[in-house]
Amino acid sequence: MTDPDVVYAIRVRGHLDAHRGAWLGDLVVTHNGDGTSTLVGPIADQAELHGLLARLRDLGIPLIACAPARGN
Amino acid sequence: MAVLATKLHVPKPRPGLVARPRLRDRLDAPDVEAARLILVSAPAGSGKTTLLSQWFASRDATPRGSVAWVSVDGDDNDVRRFLAHVIAALRTTGADVGGDARAAMEAGGAAPVPFLLTSLVNDLDTVADPLVLVLDDYHEITAPEVHESLRFLLEHLPGRMRIAMTTRSDPPLPLARMRSTGAMVELRAADLRFTPDEAESLLNGVMGLGVSREHVDALGGRTEGWAAGLQLAALSIRGRADVGRFVDEFAGSHRFVLDYLIEEVLDRQPADVREFLLRTSVLGAMNASLCEAVTGRDDAREVLRALERDNVFVVALDDRREWWRYHHLFADTLRSRLRDADPGGTADLHRAAARWHAVRGALPEAIAHSAAAGDGERTADLVELALPGLRAHRRDDDIRRHVRALPDELVRARPLLAVFMAWSRLAEGDLDGVEAWLAETERRLAHPEDVDADLRTPLEAECAARDREIRQVPAMVAVYRACVAQARGDVPGTVAHARRALGLAGPDDHFPRGAAAGFLGLAAWASGDLPSAVDVFGEAVASLRAAGGIADALGATVVLADMWSGLGRPDESRRILERALHEAEGHPVPLSTTGDLHVALADVLREHGELTAAVAHMDAARDLGDAASLPENRHRLHLADAGILRARGDLGGALAAVDRAEAAYQPGFFPDRRPVPAVRARLRIAAGDLAAAEAWARTADIEVTDPPAHPAEFAQLTLARVRLAAYRAGAGSALNGVADMLDGIAAAAGAAGRTGSVIEARLLRALVLAAAGDDRAARETLAGALTAAVPAGHRRLFLDEGAPMEELLRRLVSAHHDEAAVARARRLLAAETPGDASSSTSGEGLSERELEVLRALATDLTGPQIAGRLYVSVNTLRTHSRHIFAKLGVNTRRAAVRRAAERGLL
């Protein structure tokens, strides 16, 4: 179980357009210098997290890392 | 169950694909023949589906069996829907399989999944040709029951059949073990990645773009050989003079491949086509008419064909090219951009799509689009219109899903939806939650919402069904209240609500009529008025039948038969049970009450003295198992067992069976005609354990001086036997008051029409007279009891009394003046009826022919090969197999062979 609304940071390969973040949920997209993007936003629970990961999978977006954001 | 033909379409490879011989060779390798599962597991857009469609097309030249294709989607998480599509797909190959399973699902109700799977596997055994079942996009499945079904299919598939699966994530199967045993071959992301040569042949061979090798390698590197990326890159390059600049810019960018390239592709489309793509992206499956409804254009067919010609990610869903969808990667990106460009604009598009589907009767799609448009009232209208059809097919989960997706205040405002919520609470056993919803229902009944006029004309039948349900709501509210009252043991409340329901129900409202009559019949029985109970309950059975609830109607027959037995008419019980059982057995799948019918009939046959036939029905019930028996009826099986064992003289066995009956008994459903402790006391008397029987009488707290009362009748008649046994054992005063008690019971039961109790009281009265030495009066009384009892089929009721009764019957035969009475006594004294022996099943009961088939089933021969050897049709073989399975108590070929080996039949 995850506490309500933990902020997660999800790192993926490639620079995603900003509208992807809005479409996937209330996620803010940041582009990193190494060619990756970080999606940051509140995730209510495990079910929402798995749903989000499945949507990334369905878009063929390569997943690199997924962890609660620092400062939670 | 509705099957969508577009889900079964085997996609043809579109023109302009790269041949990938290395992958085709992998699929044609000899080890694939031995594998059960071909797993194609790779990310979205890797070309999984294309690979399989290319493979099958290449096989067409050299026929290697048939292909059954299922495009799996989220709705297939309903395991029955999943299996319905698997069966429909298999049947597209011409194979006559899954007929029974399909009939079972069409019969309504939740057909048991093990039955569906085993009958399907058995049918597949009769298919001679190799067959590949494709499950495309299996990652859509999350339901454990569907994974279970897949595992069962993989384990039991005949050797000529394989499953090919495409998925974006590995399925929960023991993949490591399957890999090491060769049960699976797999192609993964690394295999599907385009090699530099394949990229070259796509860009330059197929698309003819004339890209330099250096640029080909740069594109391959930037997309990492991802099929969707290369395809989009090719579209972006087409018609471009400055290929080098495009490749350099693309390669130098970090932007996500899909985002970069889809923007490129969209930018290169004319503005009106770009608009078309964005607006239609809200659709799933689309045809020209639907696209025109959401875009306002009138040339959608031409646009769609042009998009296909230009390889712009439209996928044809049928061979006639009427239905299409976008490649999901493309659709998802379009939707994301559409929302970004015009956040509020999608509602109008969904609204148009909802209307288009609604007027064509496609209610599930209409509901989904209407909800996406945020139109609550309209969505609630559509859910109400969908409800009768879904209920008729017992798709209760679908209704629940639709209703729960609606805002709470909308559900409360609509009687039809609120009363559904009440039923839903009842089904969950939440009695307290029911009344709140019923009150809400009644509060709103005066002002039911009307369906919008624009839906009335195109959906006339749906509107009529919905209006009929709304008319029935007041009666159903009363039925549910009766239901709650009965569950709480409140008999006056049950009767009051049931009467009210009958008053409110119209003549054609069969379901509320049947349910209400059922409650009234049970209440009449509980109060001892059996003749009324039989009348009213008989009406209930007829109404339930008229309402289409065959399982309900046949199940109620078990209760009705119980009532007829109380009326002293086992012959009538037998008649209605045999008729019901005949009907139940005509059903393709065992009903939830078929086993209960077998048990009830066995018990009546036991009373007739036809013990062998009774045992056969008990065996049939046991073979069907719990799935064919309602929980409230399970104890009947053990009581019937006890009766049969007692008739055979096995009193220890009978006592053990009574213990099992006690453990399985669920109080509160029906009046308890034969309470288990009293049944046990009767067995103890027969076993000579007088002390235990007397202990029962003390615990039960009944006296011979108690006034006759219906619920206690069985116990009082048991007490009479305890006293008789005590008297015979030497207790001189034991019979004091017993004669009066029996006369009182006979009078009271006679006045209320409970002839069964009258007969029993009289036969005991005769035994009391005989014990006291008044032989003449004993014979007269017994002769009176026989008059009604013997023609009605009573037998064990008398013979279970043992030696004293047999002696009295013999004296009646030798000394009585009444010829008819003598004949009746002779019938009871005769051995088991001669007709009985013929219905016996000796040993396993397999005929010679069936043994022959069984031995063939133990070989590796396929169904058609066996049929050929035995000179019978495949259908005849299937009938033989089914009989063999039934007799061995198994349901697959494999289990039959194992069981036969165990029993030395091979």
Side-chain angles (χ1 to χ4, degrees):
Chain A
M1 287 297 290
T2 311
D3 291 331
D5 285 315
V6 169
V7 172
Y8 267 81
I10 297 166
R11 211 147 67 89
V12 298
R13 196 144 74 230
H15 287 168
L16 295 189
D17 287 359
H19 65 82
R20 294 273 186 203
W23 181 242
L24 288 166
D26 272 335
L27 302 178
V28 176
V29 180
T30 322
H31 294 169
N32 306 317
D34 59 355
T36 63
S37 302
T38 306
L39 303 167
V40 178
I43 305 283
D45 53 22
Q46 286 288 301
E48 186 181 341
L49 180 60
H50 281 287
L52 176 61
L53 295 179
R55 294 187 65 189
L56 292 173
R57 173 199 73 188
D58 290 344
L59 284 165
I61 298 174
L63 177 69
I64 298 174
C66 169
R70 255 182 292 247
N72 265 325
Chain B
M1 188 159 306
V3 167
L4 298 175
T6 49
K7 278 169 63 77
L8 313 180
H9 176 65
V10 184
K12 302 266 184 305
R14 60 195 160 78
L17 287 173
V18 177
R20 308 181 76 182
R22 67 183 174 94
L23 295 177
R24 202 190 53 219
D25 291 349
R26 182 73 197 87
L27 288 169
D28 280 332
D31 61 334
V32 174
E33 293 290 329
R36 328 257 63 213
L37 177 66
I38 300 164
L39 178 66
V40 186
S41 185
S46 300
K48 302 181 290 293
T49 304
T50 301
L51 172 66
L52 288 186
S53 70
Q54 282 178 299
W55 180 41
F56 295 133
S58 77
R59 288 158 37 118
D60 284 350
T62 50
R64 301 264 298 281
S66 327
V67 177
W69 189 288
V70 182
S71 295
V72 177
D73 61 43
D75 288 344
D76 291 312
N77 282 298
D78 173 342
V79 64
R80 291 180 187 82
R81 187 181 192 275
F82 172 74
L83 290 174
H85 282 92
V86 165
I87 289 166
L90 291 166
R91 292 177 73 93
T92 61
T93 67
D96 180 18
V97 298
D100 287 351
R102 217 164 53 150
M105 285 191 271
E106 277 162 9
V113 174
F115 168 83
L116 301 178
L117 286 170
T118 51
S119 75
L120 173 60
V121 166
N122 289 330
D123 289 353
L124 287 171
D125 210 41
T126 65
V127 177
D129 296 327
L131 185 73
V132 179
L133 168 66
V134 180
L135 303 175
D136 195 21
D137 282 344
Y138 189 80
H139 56 263
E140 293 280 356
I141 299 301
T142 53
E145 313 86 72
V146 179
H147 294 316
E148 276 302 323
S149 299
L150 174 69
R151 272 195 284 272
F152 181 91
L153 286 176
L154 284 170
E155 261 171 49
H156 292 84
L157 284 182
R160 302 167 305 288
M161 190 176 157
R162 271 158 291 144
I163 291 179
M165 171 193 291
T166 74
T167 180
R168 293 175 206 155
S169 37
D170 283 349
L173 294 170
L175 298 182
R177 185 164 53 93
M178 294 174 72
R179 205 173 278 137
S180 66
T181 59
M184 170 179 77
V185 291
E186 60 190 322
L187 289 165
R188 306 192 64 89
D191 304 304
L192 286 163
R193 213 165 271 154
F194 273 58
T195 63
D197 286 346
E198 285 170 338
E200 161 100 38
S201 102
L202 168 69
L203 296 164
N204 295 334
V206 172
M207 306 282 285
L209 298 174
V211 182
S212 71
R213 183 67 195 211
E214 183 194 347
H215 286 147
V216 168
D217 288 349
L219 288 171
R222 173 68 171 93
T223 58
E224 297 176 84
W226 189 34
L230 281 169
Q231 181 72 32
L232 280 163
L235 289 179
S236 307
I237 290 170
R238 195 168 47 189
R240 209 187 264 271
D242 50 352
V243 176
R245 207 177 111 203
F246 167 79
V247 174
D248 288 345
E249 279 176 6
F250 177 42
S253 157
H254 281 311
R255 201 162 157 207
F256 177 46
V257 173
L258 209 56
D259 288 349
Y260 191 101
L261 292 175
I262 285 184
E263 185 164 289
E264 287 287 328
V265 171
L266 280 179
D267 284 350
R268 295 171 63 78
Q269 301 295 330
D272 68 312
V273 173
R274 195 158 56 227
E275 190 65 20
F276 180 95
L277 290 168
L278 286 169
R279 291 172 77 93
T280 52
S281 71
V282 302
L283 305 173
M286 57 193 173
N287 67 4
S289 162
L290 175 56
C291 288
E292 285 167 6
V294 300
T295 59
R297 297 177 71 120
D298 55 8
D299 59 349
R301 186 178 307 278
E302 288 69 37
V303 177
L304 286 166
R305 295 220 161 132
L307 289 171
E308 190 197 28
R309 204 168 44 242
D310 294 346
N311 287 327
V312 187
F313 289 84
V314 292
V315 180
L317 293 175
D318 54 23
D319 283 334
R320 285 175 303 173
R321 298 196 146 30
E322 283 182 11
W323 285 91
W324 310 77
R325 64 171 174 83
Y326 290 119
H327 193 285
H328 70 91
L329 281 177
F330 193 59
D332 214 66
T333 305
L334 288 176
R335 282 174 207 154
S336 179
R337 294 177 67 100
L338 173 69
R339 209 183 73 142
D340 193 45
D342 181 10
T346 56
D348 285 338
L349 302 174
H350 281 297
R351 201 164 290 133
R355 181 166 166 68
W356 188 91
H357 280 111
V359 299
R360 283 161 183 80
L363 292 173
E365 290 82 0
I367 290 169
H369 278 297
S370 182
D375 294 344
E377 291 286 352
R378 169 53 71 105
T379 312
D381 273 355
L382 292 166
V383 171
E384 287 195 353
L385 291 174
L387 199 136
L390 289 170
R391 207 205 307 277
H393 290 97
R394 303 274 183 107
R395 313 266 310 162
D396 297 330
D397 286 346
D398 283 352
I399 305 178
R400 206 170 286 138
R401 191 165 47 78
H402 288 317
V403 175
R404 294 221 165 124
L406 289 171
D408 199 47
E409 68 273 12
L410 277 180
V411 178
R412 286 180 194 287
R414 289 168 176 261
L416 200 52
L417 303 183
V419 84
F420 172 82
M421 287 305 294
W423 173 86
S424 187
R425 290 280 184 281
L426 197 58
E428 288 160 14
D430 173 14
L431 295 184
D432 296 330
V434 178
E435 182 50 42
W437 279 107
L438 291 177
E440 198 73 52
T441 307
E442 283 186 323
R443 212 154 61 75
R444 305 297 183 125
L445 251 180
H447 312 286
E449 304 276 337
D450 202 8
V451 173
D452 282 346
D454 66 319
L455 292 178
R456 286 230 163 244
T457 314
L459 296 174
E460 202 183 342
E462 285 84 354
C463 285
R466 175 251 187 209
D467 294 346
R468 193 163 51 239
E469 293 235 348
I470 290 207
R471 276 201 306 278
Q472 281 191 19
V473 166
M476 287 312 298
V477 168
V479 165
Y480 293 149
R481 287 207 171 109
C483 215
V484 172
Q486 202 209 17
R488 294 201 157 119
D490 170 10
V491 176
T494 311
V495 170
H497 290 304
R499 288 227 169 95
R500 193 172 146 68
L502 276 184
L504 289 167
D508 293 330
D509 295 344
H510 298 298
F511 186 76
R513 293 200 81 81
F519 288 126
L520 289 178
L522 288 176
W525 185 10
S527 70
D529 183 2
L530 269 178
S532 303
V534 162
D535 277 354
V536 181
F537 211 80
E539 281 170 28
V541 173
S543 291
L544 289 173
R545 184 182 296 275
I550 295 298
D552 294 340
L554 296 183
T557 305
V558 171
V559 181
L560 192 58
D562 230 3
M563 293 178 180
W564 277 111
S565 291
L567 285 173
R569 292 289 307 279
D571 57 335
E572 180 63 13
S573 295
R574 176 180 185 160
R575 194 184 67 80
I576 62 173
L577 287 168
E578 281 179 341
R579 201 182 49 185
L581 201 52
H582 181 73
E583 192 175 343
E585 283 179 332
H587 243 250
V589 58
L591 298 166
S592 56
T593 47
T594 306
D596 294 335
L597 287 170
H598 277 294
V599 169
L601 183 55
D603 201 40
V604 175
L605 291 169
R606 174 203 57 82
E607 178 56 35
H608 285 347
E610 298 180 27
L611 297 183
T612 325
V615 168
H617 280 287
M618 294 301 289
D619 289 346
R622 265 184 247 278
D623 284 349
L624 288 169
D626 282 353
S629 165
L630 298 177
E632 60 265 34
N633 283 331
R634 304 265 160 85
H635 71 288
R636 292 174 190 269
L637 179 131
H638 304 295
L639 276 184
D641 255 348
I644 292 167
L645 289 164
R646 175 179 187 172
R648 292 191 158 168
D650 180 359
L651 292 168
L655 280 163
V658 163
D659 288 345
R660 289 195 296 275
E662 193 162 44
Y665 183 62
Q666 297 206 4
F669 284 93
F670 309 117
D672 195 3
R673 189 162 70 89
R674 293 177 292 183
V676 167
V679 173
R680 184 185 286 123
R682 292 182 180 201
L683 286 168
R684 291 246 156 85
I685 298 165
D689 187 353
L690 184 57
E694 285 178 325
W696 162 80
R698 279 192 299 280
T699 317
D701 196 25
I702 53 166
E703 297 290 341
V704 289
T705 49
D706 291 344
H710 166 252
E713 224 159 62
F714 190 86
Q716 289 176 321
L717 292 166
T718 306
L719 179 64
R721 289 176 171 88
V722 176
R723 292 301 182 81
L724 257 174
Y727 181 82
R728 287 180 194 135
S733 64
L735 285 178
N736 290 353
V738 173
D740 287 347
M741 176 180 73
L742 291 172
D743 289 342
I745 291 172
R754 296 190 301 277
T755 311
S757 296
V758 177
I759 293 168
E760 198 172 334
R762 291 235 175 95
L763 84 85
L764 289 170
R765 185 75 175 83
L767 288 175
V768 168
L769 288 164
D774 190 347
D775 189 52
R776 189 184 159 79
R779 280 185 277 123
E780 289 291 343
T781 306
L782 183 61
L786 295 179
T787 309
V790 174
H794 276 298
R795 182 178 175 89
R796 290 308 316 179
L797 182 66
F798 291 85
L799 297 185
D800 281 350
E801 295 305 320
M805 176 56 73
E806 281 176 35
E807 204 177 307
L808 187 55
L809 283 167
R810 268 193 217 98
R811 285 210 297 277
L812 196 155
V813 168
S814 59
H816 207 64
H817 51 87
D818 178 351
E819 281 303 315
V822 168
R824 288 180 197 118
R826 275 192 210 279
R827 266 173 74 182
L828 288 188
L829 286 168
E832 266 198 16
T833 40
D836 189 36
S838 62
S839 63
S840 77
T841 49
S842 61
E844 305 295 339
L846 291 170
S847 69
E848 268 311 306
R849 187 60 164 170
E850 285 164 353
L851 282 171
E852 203 177 339
V853 172
L854 183 58
R855 286 182 203 112
L857 289 177
T859 66
D860 284 336
L861 294 174
T862 68
Q865 286 168 333
I866 295 174
R869 286 208 185 181
L870 299 179
Y871 304 104
V872 297
S873 72
V874 170
N875 266 333
T876 307
L877 175 68
R878 202 177 298 177
T879 307
H880 281 306
S881 303
R882 212 173 288 164
H883 290 158
I884 294 167
F885 293 176
K887 288 177 182 177
L888 293 177
V890 298
N891 44 29
T892 63
R893 175 173 175 176
R894 186 179 298 196
V897 171
R898 196 170 51 226
R899 181 72 52 90
E902 283 164 12
R903 298 192 185 171
L905 295 170
L906 295 177

